[in-house]
Amino acid sequence: MMTSLAHGAGPLIRKLERLIRLNDDERQALDQLPLRIATFEPGHEITRQGDRPQHCVAVLEGFCSVSKIVGEGGRSIVSFHIPGDIPDLQSLHVAEMDVSLTALTKTRVLLIQHEDARRLCAQSAAITHAFWRETLIAGAIAKEWVVNLGQRDALARVAHLFCETIARLEVVGLADDRRCHFPVTQEQLGEAMGLSTIHINRTLQELRSRGLISWERGDLEALRWEDLKAVGDFDPGYLSLAPDWVVLR
Amino acid sequence: MMTSLAHGAGPLIRKLERLIRLNDDERQALDQLPLRIATFEPGHEITRQGDRPQHCVAVLEGFCSVSKIVGEGGRSIVSFHIPGDIPDLQSLHVAEMDVSLTALTKTRVLLIQHEDARRLCAQSAAITHAFWRETLIAGAIAKEWVVNLGQRDALARVAHLFCETIARLEVVGLADDRRCHFPVTQEQLGEAMGLSTIHINRTLQELRSRGLISWERGDLEALRWEDLKAVGDFDPGYLSLAPDWVVLR
DNA sequence: CGATCGTTTGAAAGGTATCAAGCGCGGTGG
DNA sequence: CCACCGCGCTTGATACCTTTCAAACGATCG
């Protein structure tokens, strides 16, 4: 892991602006935050289950997964994270990490020292609420994954994940026209969807043969968006993409 | 639904005290909150998916489920809630409910008007953090459900749910000696675990025949706790039951 | 050019769903 | 008080989705 000092928390501010309206003081407080940027190579663990980290992570570039160790040597991916996400806000409140955070691609992250994050929260209720909202959306996505894993067969499950991913990436400008980069392996897809790699492969073939998606070398495209949504039983409501946020000040 | 005015937010205070240390001012502010208590009969929806509620719900007595509508007429239970839980905190932040909250038993709840909750948050950072923490724990449980549904077979899945439920109920004094009341039907268990009612039934028989549990008329007992934990691959870490909370003030 | 990783294919085994039907008990009404 | 009813639980047989095992393929890389 390489770290370096950085000035300016532009990406973090943009992220928070999506969650709540910041005033100048808050923007300035964020901008003056002593921030460290770290880069991780694919497969490297940013935070490990059992760690007691002293900082939070905001993803700037790249893709990460949150996973838990299962039984004997297994691993279960519990969520994917994209630029703009803060995947480990719980570390502010719970001492020991109950999950691991892993870089799926080369990933640049902002390290926010806990003391700085706490000071920010103490200074600004709006920032506290923005963090809380980030937690709420992550929870809503997790609930939808519970539905996905519990109720839908392989085809619908993968279709749903693709819809969710495209929808989330569109918000941060990383998907246009239902097309995005989503560089996960079929094995990782399987660990996330509760399916064997082999069945993921066959499911992808089915989605492709139905003309619903194309996916090569990590480039995903929904060829028939409405049909893909229908197959995946996808309703983006839970993502709170149109934030009719209640004003909290 | 019947409502009545109530004075004193004892149960809510006890709940929050588990999440954070309250000072006298905060305790008093909570105690003076104009609170309404409502009672719901089994099967009744406390809040419906699509609603725009003006209040939050704190469970005082009884059991609830949070569920989502799936595809054609299906229902997926995403979480169970026990006394002390505040299952719909997201309604403070997101206008439209993306889930339904249903009473599984006769249930008494505290209705906290959003304006009151917001005033409380504005007055006390500690209460804000307590709510946020409640959200974080709910998220951790949801992630563990993702693991449960994605990675474990029926036997382990049900065993894990029973362990989790007993552990959570012990915290609020509703389980002693690995024994508790957990009055859900096998159908509801199936909707939560992504299994057919029939397979739930066979799984319960297997758990019983192995001498791991007894379960009659909603009374659940873990007969061999350690073995049940092993079968369910249960590690209570994610529940944050021993709150080595970081002091946030 | 061998090695490795990710993907793909085939065949067999296994876990779970579905269909169909019977059981048992508490509640209701005659 | 008893017959009936309905809901939740239980059982058996079959079908289906998904896993597992085994192996080959293709690309990238040193």
Side-chain angles (χ1 to χ4, degrees), chain A residues 68 70-71 76 78 93 95 118 131-133 135-136 143-144 146 149-151 191 194 233 244-246 248, chain B residues 68 71 76 78 93 95 118 131-133 135-136 143-144 146-147 149-151 191 194 233 244-246 248:
Chain A
K68 297 190 80 159
V70 175
S76 175
V78 169
H93 290 267
R118 294 208 181 90
F131 285 162
W132 182 4
R133 280 171 175 178
T135 304
L136 280 164
K143 284 182 209 157
E144 186 63 35
V146 168
L149 289 162
Q151 310 297 136
E191 288 172 347
D233 184 30
D244 46 350
W245 296 127
V246 183
L248 268 180
Chain B
K68 296 190 82 160
S76 175
V78 169
H93 291 267
R118 294 208 180 90
F131 285 161
W132 182 4
R133 280 171 176 178
T135 303
L136 281 163
K143 283 181 209 156
E144 186 62 36
V146 168
V147 175
L149 289 163
Q151 309 297 135
E191 288 172 346
D233 184 30
D244 45 349
W245 296 126
V246 183
L248 269 180

Side-chain angles (χ1 to χ4, degrees), chain A:
Chain A
M1 150 179 158
M2 307 163 43
T3 75
S4 65
L5 250 66
H7 207 63
L12 180 60
I13 291 177
R14 279 199 297 280
K15 167 69 179 187
L16 295 179
E17 294 269 19
R18 278 203 308 281
L19 294 174
I20 201 152
R21 201 170 311 282
L22 299 172
N23 64 29
D24 289 341
D25 283 352
E26 288 150 356
R27 220 171 277 121
Q28 193 185 347
L30 284 165
D31 208 42
Q32 290 176 350
L33 218 47
L35 297 171
R36 287 187 307 154
I37 296 196
T39 304
F40 294 87
E41 294 299 317
H44 281 213
E45 284 187 319
I46 300 171
T47 316
R48 198 175 319 240
Q49 194 169 340
D51 278 359
R52 296 174 164 262
Q54 293 307 309
H55 53 73
C56 286
V57 168
V59 182
L60 299 182
E61 281 177 41
F63 292 79
C64 309
S65 68
V66 166
S67 57
K68 297 190 80 159
I69 307 294
V70 175
E72 303 304 313
R75 187 178 79 137
S76 175
I77 291 179
V78 169
S79 57
F80 290 116
H81 290 281
I82 66 176
D85 286 351
I86 311 177
D88 62 346
L89 273 173
Q90 75 263 33
S91 67
L92 270 177
H93 290 267
V94 184
E96 186 170 309
M97 290 289 287
D98 65 328
V99 294
S100 295
L101 179 61
T102 309
L104 296 175
T105 62
K106 181 161 181 157
T107 302
R108 284 203 330 134
V109 304
L110 221 53
L111 301 179
I112 309 167
Q113 296 302 121
H114 280 172
E115 51 185 313
D116 293 327
R118 294 208 181 90
R119 188 161 30 75
L120 269 178
C121 287
Q123 284 178 262
S124 160
I127 290 178
T128 306
H129 286 300
F131 285 162
W132 182 4
R133 280 171 175 178
E134 174 82 1
T135 304
L136 280 164
I137 294 177
I141 294 175
K143 284 182 209 157
E144 186 63 35
W145 278 44
V146 168
V147 175
N148 209 24
L149 289 162
Q151 310 297 136
R152 300 198 254 264
D153 66 13
L155 194 74
R157 212 179 289 178
V158 175
H160 190 282
L161 175 67
F162 285 165
C163 289
E164 177 185 288
T165 303
I166 289 172
R168 289 173 62 197
L169 286 170
E170 271 175 357
V171 174
V172 290
L174 291 174
D176 304 305
D177 209 20
R178 264 82 232 223
R179 200 162 30 202
C180 67
H181 193 51
F182 186 45
V184 300
T185 66
Q186 295 184 8
E187 183 182 9
Q188 288 159 348
L189 226 39
E191 288 172 347
M193 306 307 269
L195 296 166
S196 66
T197 307
I198 292 165
H199 203 62
I200 287 284
N201 183 282
R202 293 182 169 133
T203 303
L204 290 172
Q205 289 179 48
E206 177 70 18
L207 286 171
R208 280 191 279 241
S209 79
R210 293 194 188 187
L212 293 171
I213 64 157
S214 77
W215 171 354
E216 295 161 39
R217 278 170 265 94
D219 286 315
L220 172 65
E221 177 173 7
L223 300 173
R224 305 207 321 265
W225 177 245
E226 290 304 326
D227 292 333
L228 186 65
K229 274 171 64 177
V231 167
D233 184 30
F234 178 72
D235 172 357
Y238 67 99
L239 290 173
S240 302
L241 298 183
D244 46 350
W245 296 127
V246 183
V247 178
L248 268 180
R249 264 197 189 277

